[in-house]
Amino acid sequence: MDRSGSYKRGYPVVVFPDGNPWGAEERLPRFVVIKIPGIPVGTFSKYINEWRRLNPITGEIEVLQRRRWQIRWADLPQSARNKLASQGELTIRAGGYSGPADYSWSQIKQYFRNLETGLDETEEL
Amino acid sequence: MATTNTRTIKTSGGDYTSLSAWEAGRQGNLVTSDYIEVAECYSMSDTTLCTINGWTTDATRYIKIYTPASERHAGIYSTSKYRMEGANRRLYIAGASDVWIQGLQVYQSSVTDSTGAIEITLGTTVGRIKVEACILRGISNADNTHTGIQATSGGAASTLTVWNNIVYDFLGTYGIGIRNKPANFTTYAYNNTVVDCGFGCFYVDAGSMVPINNIGQGTSSEGNYFGSFSSNATNISEDASSPDVAFRNLAVTFNSEVGDDFHLGSGDTAAKDAGTSDPGAGLFSDDMDGDTRAGAWDIGADEYVAVVTGNPWYAYAQQ
């Protein structure tokens, strides 16, 4: 069965500005929120792009996977997984933000994998 | 009988804050679960692209995305109602065979993208897609192909049924209102009003379109109507392209075309009472903003309703 159109664990779904009032179902058990205060929506938008290609036979754009990027959920630090499972959110420090955080982007970016290249994220936000 | 699951899309206080998030949260095999999944959309600007993919549906277990009556537009694009706005495909149906879209506003505002406001790209999946009472708005001064509603691909005998929609301002060099692109699709277009599309209002690359009671207006380089049409009746074109000879070269009078109000004007003589009654064989009996159609139907998305002004006369019975 082709599940290329389905979301998989670790796919970022949407990106919203700081303070977004999440809906009743946009939380555990199905979803968690990763907060990166102060980073513009546009900077993070690449993580919700679909992995697409031009079909050489049909000439149409087709979706290979719902997302080009996936968070390697099973490889996250145990403390991160525990907090996500219990509280449903994680705060990441990046850019000029100096407030409370669970991790820095430098610590966590390695768990963001580009499915097309197979490489983990190395860029700063 | 399938169970209906309704979830709300609101800026706050609802189940989801975007249609895209709803799609991610509710996607699944509706046939095995015996569900109808409904997204009920409330006033907001939804700027997140929504791709519908990864679903299994059938004719009785399907997806419905709609605005309830209290949240529905009144036939004119409104920023106080639910709307999808931004660049690229706003609503992209790529992996669900049965989707019903009702009462949405979609504004495809890209000046560079070659995409549709609502686009159906199902590959080899047979589609049964319905789009009803939506307002689909494009943008001027774009050179690329962009469309209001486009069937791009689907399995054999796929259908797109569109009725009571207003589609306008897809003014790019290759701008199209309603498009049937692949041979596997047949588009049934009833009582739509399509205005100011640079390439064509009703455009058929391959396959077929069955148009009845539609309005095509404005200057389209390939004609308001282009391609292969069948079982057509009472379709108005402002140019000479209508498949219905008697309805060519007719200018429809709207309330305010410059104001994007495409309700029929009181002085219209082209569309009022000139249509085919019940073209969809019971599919619908109202217009784009819920007014009942009766008698001889008007052509286009709006059924003219006279506005009573001044003091009505009362009759008194003296005892």
Side-chain angles (χ1 to χ4, degrees), chain B residues 72-96:
Chain B
R72 186 69 55 87
H73 61 77
I76 304 172
Y77 190 87
S78 171
T79 55
S80 65
K81 303 295 183 181
Y82 178 84
R83 58 211 182 276
M84 304 186 78
E85 300 178 311
N88 298 310
R89 297 177 186 87
R90 295 284 91 205
L91 186 51
Y92 183 43
I93 301 170

Side-chain angles (χ1 to χ4, degrees), chain A residues 14 17 85 95 107 110 122:
Chain A
V14 291
Q107 291 174 301
Q110 63 183 298
T122 58

Side-chain angles (χ1 to χ4, degrees), chain B residues 2-303:
Chain B
T3 299
T4 298
N5 296 320
T6 299
R7 297 293 186 271
T8 56
I9 289 78
K10 297 182 177 181
T11 51
S12 64
D15 296 306
Y16 294 93
T17 52
S18 69
L19 190 62
S20 180
W22 168 85
E23 194 276 341
R26 303 305 301 177
Q27 69 173 201
N29 188 326
L30 302 189
V31 176
T32 56
S33 60
D34 200 25
Y35 286 158
I36 297 170
E37 287 288 347
V38 178
E40 190 172 271
C41 303
Y42 288 76
S43 176
M44 64 177 287
S45 173
D46 191 342
T47 58
T48 305
L49 301 174
C50 180
T51 297
I52 299 175
N53 203 349
W55 298 71
T56 301
T57 64
D58 65 16
T60 58
R61 280 75 64 97
Y62 55 86
I63 296 166
K64 182 179 179 182
I65 301 168
Y66 87 116
T67 52
S70 62
E71 300 296 314
R72 186 69 55 87
H73 61 77
I76 304 172
Y77 190 87
S78 171
T79 55
S80 65
K81 303 295 183 181
Y82 178 84
R83 58 211 182 276
M84 304 186 78
E85 300 178 311
N88 298 310
R89 297 177 186 87
R90 295 284 91 205
L91 186 51
Y92 183 43
I93 301 170
S97 54
D98 302 83
V99 182
W100 180 9
I101 301 165
Q102 182 188 63
L104 264 58
Q105 301 183 112
V106 185
Y107 179 22
Q108 208 269 32
S109 61
S110 169
V111 295
T112 57
D113 292 314
S114 299
T115 54
I118 298 176
E119 190 165 337
I120 301 132
T121 303
L122 294 170
T124 57
T125 299
V126 178
R128 292 170 290 270
I129 310 299
K130 299 188 288 188
V131 182
E132 173 192 3
C134 293
I135 296 178
L136 304 170
R137 177 184 167 195
I139 194 168
S140 301
N141 301 321
D143 290 331
N144 290 287
T145 302
H146 60 154
T147 57
I149 308 171
Q150 175 168 310
T152 301
S153 67
S158 291
T159 60
L160 168 63
T161 307
V162 298
W163 71 100
N164 283 345
N165 300 289
I166 295 179
V167 184
Y168 67 100
D169 275 2
F170 287 86
L171 274 167
T173 303
Y174 303 104
I176 296 171
I178 298 174
R179 182 179 190 182
N180 193 103
K181 193 173 179 184
N184 279 348
F185 253 98
T186 298
T187 295
Y188 298 90
Y190 308 130
N191 284 91
N192 300 284
T193 296
V194 182
V195 181
D196 291 339
C197 294
F199 205 55
C201 294
F202 300 87
Y203 193 96
V204 182
D205 301 69
S208 183
M209 186 180 292
V210 176
I212 302 175
N213 286 353
N214 298 288
I215 293 173
Q217 297 281 281
T219 301
S220 304
S221 62
E222 295 296 301
N224 293 154
Y225 295 79
F226 178 90
S228 173
F229 303 96
S230 61
S231 303
N232 48 273
T234 52
N235 296 287
I236 289 174
S237 65
E238 189 167 2
D239 57 23
S241 65
S242 171
D244 304 298
V245 175
F247 293 85
R248 295 174 177 171
N249 301 303
L250 295 177
V252 174
T253 301
F254 298 112
N255 266 356
S256 173
E257 189 166 342
V258 67
D260 297 335
D261 179 354
F262 300 107
H263 291 89
L264 292 179
S266 59
D268 178 72
T269 57
K272 280 198 288 184
D273 297 334
T276 302
S277 295
D278 193 16
L283 176 65
F284 66 106
S285 59
D286 59 0
D287 74 350
M288 64 180 181
D289 44 12
D291 296 321
T292 301
R293 298 184 187 267
W297 286 28
D298 295 348
I299 297 174
D302 178 50
E303 186 77 10

